[in-house]
Amino acid sequence: MDSEQHRRYQTSMVSTYYPEASFHDSLVMPDGTEQSQGSDILTRLHSGEVFIVNSRRRNGLILFKRYHAEFAGPGAAVGGDYDCDCQRALPIGNLSLLTLESNSNQERQNAYKIRRQWIRLIKQITENPVPGQRVQKILDQFEQYFPPDIVALLPDVAFALLVGVLPQTVGMVRRLGSEVNSRFNY
């Protein structure tokens, strides 16, 4: 009997949590406006062609997959088979995607190496077991590279999916700053 109740509890947990894990058609920005995700960028990513995020600009893409997000910064490869599962894309800065020369294998390899480096940076942040510290670190990293006013416009859910926390945790860290770790002992 206990096992039946336990099984029902697990089923209800999954069914109530799953809708929160799926991604919506638009993001609600911190200022309350809705931003529809660039369908033209997503169409380009799904075309099978490989692009490079322009390394001469402070720009990038947050790529929303089913259960997580990835950041592709300057010099990184995007598109092709690597991002066929991308559901949404959020451009940061003045996004510029360059077409990869089809006969340049070296350029392609370098772009994929840079993409892996961006992924490793985020992985290092997510290895911290304290959610509030992960959020603070990703916010610090973005604010070092992008102007703080641009980072402030990015929705909580974007950072949450990058470092594996709830959007509410991101909101709390944004409001309380570094105080969050001293106030709440995770």
Side-chain angles (χ1 to χ4, degrees):
M1 185 152 157
D2 285 337
S3 63
E4 285 180 29
Q5 287 179 335
H6 182 65
R7 193 174 325 135
R8 270 188 256 135
Y9 178 71
Q10 286 179 330
T11 304
S12 69
M13 284 277 295
V14 171
S15 65
T16 58
Y17 181 71
Y18 179 73
E20 296 296 320
S22 64
F23 201 74
H24 306 289
D25 289 335
S26 62
L27 290 175
V28 178
M29 304 305 273
D31 62 3
T33 60
E34 281 193 24
Q35 179 178 357
S36 175
Q37 299 312 299
S39 61
D40 56 331
I41 294 172
L42 202 55
T43 302
R44 290 178 76 185
L45 293 177
H46 289 162
S47 71
E49 193 173 352
V50 178
F51 301 95
I52 298 177
V53 178
N54 191 341
S55 61
R56 297 178 191 258
R57 293 186 185 184
R58 287 186 181 256
N59 67 145
L61 272 174
I62 296 179
L63 303 164
F64 295 93
K65 308 290 178 112
R66 184 165 181 162
Y67 298 108
H68 74 285
E70 297 175 9
F71 177 69
V78 293
D81 292 338
Y82 200 69
D83 292 316
C84 63
D85 61 340
C86 185
Q87 296 179 343
R88 301 280 178 258
L90 178 63
I92 303 173
N94 188 9
L95 181 66
S96 171
L97 295 179
L98 306 174
T99 306
L100 193 62
E101 295 294 324
S102 60
N103 59 357
S104 176
N105 285 333
Q106 184 62 40
E107 188 179 16
R108 181 182 301 263
Q109 286 178 353
N110 288 339
Y112 279 117
K113 281 182 188 177
I114 292 171
R115 174 76 180 263
R116 281 185 23 218
Q117 288 173 348
W118 285 109
I119 291 171
R120 283 186 184 142
L121 173 67
I122 303 295
K123 180 184 177 290
Q124 288 174 349
I125 293 170
T126 60
E127 288 173 346
N128 186 328
V130 181
Q133 290 176 2
R134 292 198 307 258
V135 172
Q136 190 61 57
K137 184 66 174 173
I138 193 72
L139 290 171
D140 291 344
Q141 288 291 323
F142 269 72
E143 285 177 354
Q144 283 180 7
Y145 197 73
F146 297 106
D149 56 324
I150 289 179
V151 176
L153 291 175
L154 297 175
D156 292 349
V157 69
F159 291 113
L161 288 169
L162 281 169
V163 296
V165 300
L166 295 171
Q168 296 87 336
T169 305
V170 177
M172 192 169 41
V173 171
R174 282 179 150 174
R175 281 190 309 279
L176 301 175
S178 59
E179 295 175 28
V180 75
N181 293 322
S182 62
R183 292 177 109 184
F184 302 102
N185 190 3
Y186 290 93

